[in-house]
Amino acid sequence: MNLNQLTLPTKDLDRSVDFYKKLGLELIVYSAPHYARLVCPNGQSTFSLHLEEGPINSGCWIYFEIENLDQKVSQLQKAGFDFEELPNDKPWLWRESRLKDPDGHQLILYYAGENRLNPPWRIKE
């Protein structure tokens, strides 16, 4: 099994597409006004947006792993992105930075390297 697709609701498809393109994703499907799909710059994971008429629940946290995190966050700040938390080292051995997308979804830009799948406390078989 491989998780390869995540879809988020949005109130404004074009605004959200623009946000995620500026973040670094590539637009591969655009079916306005209801749907768009983007691909992550590394690997083959896709990320889509779906127009939602009702209230949006922003209880989902989306993690994007970026090897050169500090440099990328600096570039995004210069491009006008507003971060809630700048890159810092976490007790779980990841370096993270946080911001919200236009619909209020929590995004975590991070770098974990080997610790993402193999932290020192990983359950042994």
Side-chain angles (χ1 to χ4, degrees):
M1 185 181 313
N2 182 33
L3 176 63
N4 64 16
Q5 169 69 23
L6 175 68
T7 301
L8 285 182
T10 182
K11 288 292 188 191
D12 184 327
L13 186 68
D14 290 331
R15 177 188 67 186
S16 291
V17 165
D18 186 51
F19 176 89
Y20 284 101
K21 282 174 54 180
K22 287 179 183 174
L23 193 62
L25 282 72
E26 177 187 350
L27 184 64
I28 60 171
V29 173
Y30 184 71
S31 299
H34 299 292
Y35 181 81
R37 187 177 324 130
L38 303 102
V39 65
C40 293
N42 300 98
Q44 296 183 349
S45 298
T46 56
F47 184 87
S48 62
L49 301 160
H50 185 270
L51 187 66
E52 183 65 45
E53 299 297 329
I56 291 179
N57 176 353
S58 61
C60 183
W61 293 12
I62 300 96
Y63 286 76
F64 291 106
E65 189 165 21
I66 301 169
E67 191 168 336
N68 57 344
L69 178 64
D70 291 62
Q71 178 183 352
K72 181 67 173 181
V73 168
S74 178
Q75 291 170 347
L76 292 170
Q77 283 183 301
K78 289 176 185 167
F81 283 78
D82 185 28
F83 282 82
E84 300 173 313
E85 188 176 313
L86 293 176
N88 65 91
D89 296 326
K90 299 296 185 181
W92 46 92
L93 306 178
W94 296 16
R95 187 157 179 80
E96 294 185 0
S97 185
R98 295 173 183 235
L99 71 157
K100 290 211 166 107
D101 80 356
D103 290 296
H105 299 290
Q106 182 70 64
L107 305 183
I108 296 96
L109 306 184
Y110 78 102
Y111 182 69
E114 183 69 19
N115 289 315
R116 186 174 73 80
L117 294 176
N118 296 301
W121 47 83
R122 181 181 168 137
I123 297 170
K124 306 291 186 221
E125 292 184 38

